[in-house]
Amino acid sequence: MVNDQRESGRRQVFSAIRKAGRVARVDLARETGISPATVTAITAELLREGLIEETGTPDRSDLRRGRPRVDLKVRGAAHVVAGMKLSHLAIATALIDFEGTMIAEHTCALDKSRHSAAELTALVERALDETLSKAGLSRDQLSGVGLGMSGVVDAMGGLVHWSPSVAERNVPLRDMLGARIDLPIFIDNDANLVAMAEQYFGHGRGVSDFIVVTIESGVGMGIVINNEVYRGARGCGAEFGHTKVQLDGALCRCGQRGCLEAYVADYALLREAATTTDFADITTSSAKLQALVEAARGGDTTAQMIFDRAGRMFAMGLANVVNIFDPQLIILSGERMQFDYLYADQVLDSIRRSIIQIDLPPPQIVIHKWGDLMWAKGAAAFAIDGVADIALQNFSGNAA
Amino acid sequence: MVNDQRESGRRQVFSAIRKAGRVARVDLARETGISPATVTAITAELLREGLIEETGTPDRSDLRRGRPRVDLKVRGAAHVVAGMKLSHLAIATALIDFEGTMIAEHTCALDKSRHSAAELTALVERALDETLSKAGLSRDQLSGVGLGMSGVVDAMGGLVHWSPSVAERNVPLRDMLGARIDLPIFIDNDANLVAMAEQYFGHGRGVSDFIVVTIESGVGMGIVINNEVYRGARGCGAEFGHTKVQLDGALCRCGQRGCLEAYVADYALLREAATTTDFADITTSSAKLQALVEAARGGDTTAQMIFDRAGRMFAMGLANVVNIFDPQLIILSGERMQFDYLYADQVLDSIRRSIIQIDLPPPQIVIHKWGDLMWAKGAAAFAIDGVADIALQNFSGNAA
DNA sequence: ATATTTTGATTTGCGTATTGAAATATTAAA
DNA sequence: TTTAATATTTCAATACGCAAATCAAAATAT
């Protein structure tokens, strides 16, 4: 393989194109530091392989003379991938093209939240096929599948060490799925996938170091360092929900005490509320939480106290992460409005106050409300990343 | 500059040699993935430039036939650098050769702990010259100077945002020193430097992701990710001492509440001890702490309680870092025996218990007791890194 | 109209790094 | 001594990236 240094050039150029959305070759050369001549050579290759395409001459609002630039963009039609998210009682699937455009979506209900790995592979396969038929596509038109779930997942090894969705421990889920679905499979923790979604399609575009915090029923975190999702040595980094915010504090689902999750997750709030309030007439925990939110809004001081402490604990935990990481940007990525109390101004202020003070602007904090396909889109982003990786490796220029 | 891909090869080979200590070319080729032919070419260049040297054929304990391998190692005599550490009332300086061998050391007392930047440059210059004359060297035999201090330091920009040793804020100390000492100057936070010392000469050799925790009067942390010291977006990452371990907790020197430092630093312990014990007859705080340690050992329950809580807070703070980072290795790097209580087995166990449990071995925790030149050696490691960088850049093969 | 200028993209020729294959060196084992 | 094994070096072939030159397409000047 002499084609080794070329690969790095191709990678640089391609990711610059993706990052920019649409760029002319001149700008690619300027941004990557690669000479215009080489940019021409590389883009010609990528064009030939169909990974990118030329668009019409760009918007000439800034009338310049000279030869007009020709913008390049990722060719959406090059690949279609599926992003799937295993959650409590459903499998959400999204089909997304190489540019990130949504092609189809589908949600498949589950009868219970935890399944054996064998059951799960069958369910995932079914959900995938249902989505494909909905979109009128066949499996061989797909280039890869990304799958996310909460829990501890080793993305490199394709192992699920532990997940609330999987009955067994240490399941080689990637290979199990790969055996039934003959496509490249990519599995990861869901918070990491949201980080990738932000990196590819959201606020993280072009930001090299940022943190994404997600709240579902637990608290998750994804870390991007140097334009890459950081996964830790054992593949179980960023367990933000289980950082401790109180010595010998509240009991957590994980069996330890004082975890952040044990203060801010829905079950934690309801546990507290149950001390004074009896939600006997409300059945679902989601509705109970809603009632608690209403109570706080309505002036119930106990309910307010509960949310207040949760917010302050959240701020403390997040400030710790910032003090350790010093990211450029923190994205609070949420799906449900129920967690608004954690994103309140006073919480954000509290975070800012708890960060070590220097004479530089503090990291930016943005709140990003996604639709309910956030997770699946993240899984798709992961798949796109993997597929692009393969595509950039394999095709070795000299197709002739 | 066509000499761009060559540089990367040289870097790879050189750092592989440094990491290994002594290696034969075959192994370099295997480890770096570069072909043997190219390894020969590159090592020939490095040899010509004097950056590395051949050693006699290695220990033939594993008798193999065939042509014996010739080991290569970094040539210590290639460069000498100075590592300097600004601490409370002294400047410690170490002269170290390119291999990391100590050549000379010197400590220069200071009359006060905080100086203006102008005073400081003069003091550093004096300390450097004194050390050089002690070793019988002149300035032009030196290739670089590394300087570490506690506080918030922007290593890239050469700025000291804030330091207990410097009177002003946001001082361009690197350039100020560079103006008086005509050598490459490298400044950084001291905890980062200890991380580099571990990476180059200590337990961090060959480990790609690890964390170093240092305790002096404050608590510092250095993070190595992907073989590089992570410095954060604004250059103020890893402020471990100011992560919060208690909501609205004890008051810290930094003005905030609940910082880890406010529970484990010497001043924090003495502050608590003062409530029940009067150390009126003891003058230095170091001696007071010693007395407190003795009291605890002697069975004083109050003293024991104080240390116990400090240890548990420390464990909690560190467990948080581990839950976020998932490092391969944690190095507790200490100079003074006084902090033994933080390194006690029960503290380490407490850390392990607070880490999220998966079916993989937990990160290794090692305690590394350095002499008092730890800090200066770290500064020297930083300087060596910088000097090597320059050396690998500049010499462009074709010396002819 | 036509020439000139400006800017972007492409082609060309060259120096050089990398590499596979072959050659060479050096030792142990047969 | 011969053979086998292993390490290193040499050498020719290749491919890569770059600077400079050239081509292309537009705006602007004359």
Side-chain angles (χ1 to χ4, degrees):
Chain A
M1 293 286 143
V2 190
N3 244 40
D4 219 22
Q5 59 267 38
R6 177 59 147 264
E7 202 181 304
S8 98
R10 290 155 62 98
R11 284 219 145 71
Q12 268 186 87
V13 169
F14 186 74
S15 86
I17 292 173
R18 178 155 51 196
K19 199 175 289 176
R22 31 185 73 220
V23 241
R25 285 171 248 254
V26 227
D27 291 326
L28 281 176
R30 199 169 308 128
E31 272 163 49
T32 59
I34 297 172
S35 79
T38 307
V39 169
T40 293
I42 290 176
T43 53
E45 234 176 53
L46 295 176
L47 281 166
R48 204 178 330 125
E49 292 165 28
L51 291 176
I52 62 172
E53 62 190 357
E54 295 187 337
T55 71
T57 53
D59 187 13
R60 314 313 271 41
S61 60
D62 55 334
L63 270 201
R64 269 183 294 193
R65 54 183 186 174
R67 176 171 175 172
R69 43 185 60 191
V70 181
D71 275 359
L72 300 168
K73 64 183 263 299
V74 173
R75 195 173 75 99
H79 292 282
V80 177
V81 300
M84 309 183 75
K85 152 77 175 174
L86 246 52
S87 47
H88 187 46
L89 286 172
I91 298 180
T93 308
L95 297 184
I96 284 182
D97 79 2
F98 215 45
E99 268 183 287
T101 316
M102 183 79 68
I103 291 174
E105 55 183 273
H106 177 67
T107 300
C108 174
L110 299 179
D111 55 330
K112 56 186 181 186
S113 69
R114 175 172 290 231
H115 295 263
S116 77
E119 288 169 343
L120 220 46
T121 35
L123 289 167
V124 166
E125 194 181 12
R126 205 189 68 197
L128 181 65
D129 285 338
E130 283 176 13
T131 316
L132 281 170
S133 71
K134 208 169 175 178
L137 291 173
S138 65
R139 264 198 210 177
D140 57 343
Q141 290 175 278
L142 220 55
S143 303
V145 178
L147 175 65
M149 70 205 73
S150 46
V152 180
V153 182
D154 174 1
M156 295 295 160
L159 285 175
V160 179
H161 285 298
W162 175 86
S163 166
S165 305
V166 186
E168 304 94 339
R169 295 177 74 96
N170 306 310
V171 178
L173 194 60
R174 182 177 60 195
D175 292 342
M176 290 176 69
L177 283 169
R180 298 188 62 139
I181 306 168
D182 190 25
L183 287 169
I185 312 277
F186 308 93
I187 69 173
D188 202 348
N189 171 279
D190 48 9
N192 283 345
L193 294 183
V194 176
M196 297 207 74
E198 292 287 358
Q199 192 183 17
Y200 273 67
F201 313 122
H203 288 89
R205 271 180 97 135
V207 183
S208 63
D209 301 72
F210 66 93
I211 287 172
V212 180
V213 175
T214 62
I215 304 186
E216 198 188 16
S217 63
V219 183
M221 189 170 76
I223 302 172
V224 174
I225 293 180
N226 218 359
N227 293 305
E228 280 193 39
V229 173
Y230 178 79
R231 292 198 170 82
R234 299 175 301 164
C236 70
E239 280 297 334
F240 180 49
H242 299 283
T243 57
K244 308 294 175 289
V245 290
Q246 174 75 48
L247 198 59
D248 296 328
L251 192 61
C252 176
R253 285 191 301 186
C254 74
Q256 300 183 356
R257 285 196 173 276
C259 296
L260 176 61
E261 191 176 295
Y263 289 94
V264 305
D266 46 8
Y267 72 86
L269 299 175
L270 292 176
R271 179 173 59 190
E272 283 226 297
T275 314
T276 60
T277 318
D278 185 15
F279 290 117
D281 51 330
I282 309 178
T283 49
T284 73
S285 65
S286 166
K288 281 181 187 168
L289 190 61
Q290 196 56 44
L292 190 62
V293 171
E294 299 297 342
R297 288 221 185 93
D300 182 321
T301 48
T302 306
Q304 285 174 349
M305 267 172 53
I306 290 173
F307 285 117
D308 176 65
R309 190 180 70 165
R312 297 201 300 159
M313 286 296 190
F314 182 70
M316 178 174 152
L318 196 49
N320 284 348
V321 174
V322 174
N323 275 329
I324 290 170
F325 262 106
D326 183 31
Q328 286 170 61
L329 172 68
I330 298 157
I331 304 173
L332 301 176
S333 209
E335 178 184 349
R336 304 198 223 160
M337 300 296 268
Q338 289 157 328
F339 297 104
D340 275 1
Y341 60 93
L342 292 181
Y343 299 162
D345 284 342
Q346 66 214 42
V347 174
L348 303 189
D349 283 344
S350 175
I351 294 169
R352 293 196 188 93
R353 271 199 311 277
S354 303
I355 295 170
I356 192 91
Q357 302 296 321
I358 64 166
D359 305 333
L360 283 175
Q364 204 189 336
I365 303 179
V366 302
I367 296 172
H368 192 184
K369 292 231 167 72
W370 295 66
D372 57 348
L373 271 119
M374 158 174 76
W375 308 94
K377 217 171 171 190
F382 189 35
I384 286 178
D385 192 66
V387 169
D389 226 58
I390 295 169
L392 290 170
Q393 252 172 41
N394 283 5
F395 242 95
S396 37
N398 43 6
Chain B
M1 291 285 146
V2 190
N3 242 41
D4 222 20
Q5 59 267 35
R6 176 57 148 265
E7 204 180 303
S8 98
R10 291 156 62 97
R11 283 218 147 69
Q12 268 186 86
V13 170
F14 186 75
S15 85
I17 293 172
R18 179 155 53 194
K19 198 176 288 177
R22 31 186 73 221
V23 241
R25 284 170 250 253
V26 227
D27 291 326
L28 283 176
R30 197 169 311 128
E31 274 163 48
T32 59
I34 297 172
S35 78
T38 308
V39 168
T40 295
I42 290 176
T43 52
E45 231 176 56
L46 295 175
L47 282 166
R48 204 177 330 121
E49 291 165 28
L51 291 177
I52 61 172
E53 62 190 357
E54 294 187 335
T55 71
T57 53
D59 187 12
R60 312 315 273 35
S61 60
D62 55 335
L63 271 200
R64 269 184 294 192
R65 54 185 186 171
R67 176 173 175 171
R69 41 186 61 191
V70 181
D71 275 359
L72 301 167
K73 64 185 261 300
V74 173
R75 195 173 75 100
H79 292 283
V80 178
V81 301
M84 309 182 76
K85 154 76 175 174
L86 245 52
S87 48
H88 188 46
L89 286 171
I91 299 179
T93 308
L95 298 184
I96 282 181
D97 79 4
F98 214 45
E99 268 183 288
T101 317
M102 184 77 71
I103 292 175
E105 55 182 275
H106 177 67
T107 301
C108 174
L110 299 179
D111 56 331
K112 56 187 180 186
S113 69
R114 177 171 288 231
H115 294 263
S116 76
E119 287 168 345
L120 219 46
T121 36
L123 287 167
V124 166
E125 193 180 13
R126 204 189 71 197
L128 181 65
D129 285 338
E130 283 176 13
T131 316
L132 281 169
S133 73
K134 210 168 174 179
L137 292 174
S138 65
R139 266 198 209 177
D140 56 344
Q141 290 174 277
L142 221 55
S143 302
V145 178
L147 175 65
M149 70 204 73
S150 46
V152 180
V153 182
D154 174 2
M156 295 297 160
L159 285 176
V160 178
H161 285 299
W162 174 85
S163 167
S165 304
V166 185
E168 303 94 338
R169 293 178 77 94
N170 305 311
V171 179
L173 193 60
R174 182 177 61 195
D175 292 343
M176 289 177 70
L177 283 169
R180 298 189 61 139
I181 305 168
D182 191 25
L183 288 169
I185 311 277
F186 308 93
I187 70 173
D188 202 348
N189 171 278
D190 47 10
N192 283 346
L193 294 183
V194 175
M196 299 207 71
E198 292 287 0
Q199 193 183 18
Y200 273 67
F201 313 124
H203 289 88
R205 272 179 96 136
V207 183
S208 63
D209 300 72
F210 66 92
I211 286 172
V212 180
V213 175
T214 61
I215 304 187
E216 197 186 19
S217 62
V219 184
M221 189 171 77
I223 301 172
V224 173
I225 292 180
N226 218 0
N227 293 306
E228 279 194 39
V229 173
Y230 178 78
R231 292 201 170 80
R234 300 175 300 167
C236 69
E239 281 296 335
F240 181 48
H242 300 283
T243 57
K244 307 295 176 288
V245 290
Q246 174 76 49
L247 199 60
D248 296 328
L251 191 61
C252 175
R253 287 191 300 185
C254 75
Q256 301 183 352
R257 284 196 172 277
C259 296
L260 176 61
E261 191 176 299
Y263 289 93
V264 305
D266 45 8
Y267 73 86
L269 299 175
L270 292 176
R271 179 172 60 190
E272 284 226 296
T275 314
T276 59
T277 318
D278 184 16
F279 290 117
D281 50 328
I282 309 177
T283 48
T284 72
S285 64
S286 165
K288 279 180 188 169
L289 190 62
Q290 195 56 45
L292 191 62
V293 171
E294 299 295 343
R297 288 221 183 92
D300 182 323
T301 47
T302 307
Q304 283 174 349
M305 269 171 53
I306 292 174
F307 284 117
D308 177 63
R309 189 179 72 166
R312 295 201 301 159
M313 286 297 191
F314 182 70
M316 176 173 153
L318 196 50
N320 284 348
V321 174
V322 173
N323 275 328
I324 291 170
F325 262 108
D326 183 33
Q328 287 172 59
L329 173 68
I330 299 156
I331 304 172
L332 302 176
S333 209
E335 178 184 353
R336 304 200 224 157
M337 301 298 267
Q338 289 158 328
F339 297 104
D340 274 0
Y341 61 93
L342 292 181
Y343 298 161
D345 284 341
Q346 66 213 45
V347 175
L348 303 189
D349 282 343
S350 174
I351 294 169
R352 292 195 189 95
R353 271 199 311 277
S354 303
I355 294 171
I356 192 91
Q357 301 298 321
I358 64 167
D359 303 332
L360 284 174
Q364 203 189 338
I365 304 179
V366 302
I367 296 172
H368 192 184
K369 292 232 167 68
W370 295 68
D372 57 349
L373 272 118
M374 159 175 74
W375 308 94
K377 215 169 173 193
F382 189 34
I384 286 177
D385 192 66
V387 168
D389 227 55
I390 295 169
L392 290 170
Q393 250 172 44
N394 283 4
F395 243 94
S396 38
N398 44 5

